[in-house]
Amino acid sequence: KSQGVYNQTLLVFTTDNGNLHGEHGLAEKWYPFEESVRVPLVIQDPRMPESAKGSRNDEFTLSVDLAPTILSAAQIKPPKFMQGRDIAQLYLKPEEAGDSWRQDFFYEWNQGDNNGIHGHGRYQTLPSVFALIRKDYKYFYWPQLKYEQLFCVENDPYEESDILNSTMQTTQRALHMTRARFSFL
């Protein structure tokens, strides 16, 4: 503010992860439960329209979006090899971002190589977990345990009821859809 650039400066506040504090009987940051994957992100952008200031947006933004966002604000075109998208699309041109914005994402906690679960001892370390995160469902796969979980986050936002074994037709369709998308990603 003392330099006179405050109203011309993009400010971004975030962290790298959330934390579990006893939820699900767990602690720390290693798992794809909402308390761990949801992180704060506050952006003050001088380009932001007044109508968007102070608003909340529930679109999926990821840490890979931060670099393209900062580069774009500096009027530097992000390299083609760079992952992520400019988050400013969500508040500068929300009608264009709309359905083209990220609808899901792949989550992984894996200390080993990308082709397996090497590096995780049976009990010495935290088990690896992979997940498909959507706004309606979350699908978890724990490869060391050969265990799957499915949560309907629309009806169960705290992810307390694993519905994977439900025989309801809607659940079975959701399981088929999330497994297919998980395999694709």
Side-chain angles (χ1 to χ4, degrees):
K1 286 182 178 181
S2 65
Q3 295 175 341
V5 296
Y6 180 74
N7 292 327
Q8 302 167 356
T9 303
L10 174 72
L11 300 175
V12 177
F13 170 81
T14 191
T15 64
D16 65 336
N17 57 265
N19 257 314
L20 292 157
H21 296 282
E23 299 89 352
H24 311 284
L26 300 169
E28 281 294 334
K29 61 183 180 180
W30 317 108
Y31 300 114
F33 293 105
E34 193 68 9
E35 298 86 354
S36 181
V37 297
R38 171 91 43 176
V39 300
L41 174 63
V42 179
I43 297 176
Q44 177 180 301
D45 187 335
R47 302 169 299 162
M48 187 179 289
E50 285 297 320
S51 61
K53 291 182 179 177
S55 66
R56 182 182 177 136
N57 186 306
D58 288 323
E59 296 295 342
F60 288 136
T61 58
L62 304 174
S63 58
V64 295
D65 298 326
L66 295 175
T69 301
I70 293 167
L71 288 172
S72 295
Q75 298 179 350
I76 299 170
K77 187 174 181 171
K80 289 185 190 230
F81 63 82
M82 186 174 281
Q83 294 183 26
R85 295 178 64 181
D86 180 2
I87 296 168
Q89 295 171 359
L90 295 172
Y91 54 82
L92 293 178
K93 299 177 182 176
E95 66 286 345
E96 290 180 23
D99 292 337
S100 70
W101 195 260
R102 180 180 296 113
Q103 301 299 308
D104 58 22
F105 65 93
F106 184 81
Y107 170 94
E108 71 175 308
W109 162 248
N110 183 17
Q111 288 181 314
D113 64 46
N114 292 333
N115 297 316
I117 55 171
H118 310 289
H120 290 264
R122 174 104 173 120
Y123 298 107
Q124 295 89 341
T125 63
L126 300 166
S128 59
V129 60
F130 303 93
L132 173 70
I133 311 291
R134 297 174 43 95
K135 291 183 181 175
D136 51 358
Y137 290 95
K138 283 189 180 178
Y139 169 78
F140 299 179
Y141 176 62
W142 307 81
Q144 289 162 295
L145 307 171
K146 297 187 180 7
Y147 186 71
E148 300 171 286
Q149 291 181 290
L150 182 68
F151 298 95
C152 178
V153 292
E154 289 180 324
N155 299 328
D156 177 22
Y158 299 108
E159 302 155 337
E160 296 175 320
S161 299
D162 179 0
I163 61 170
L164 187 101
N165 293 316
S166 168
T167 57
M168 290 180 57
Q169 192 175 25
T170 55
T171 301
Q172 290 305 305
R173 277 196 303 266
L175 179 59
H176 177 74
M177 178 267 304
T178 55
R179 278 179 176 160
R181 179 72 173 150
F182 175 88
S183 294
F184 173 77
L185 293 176

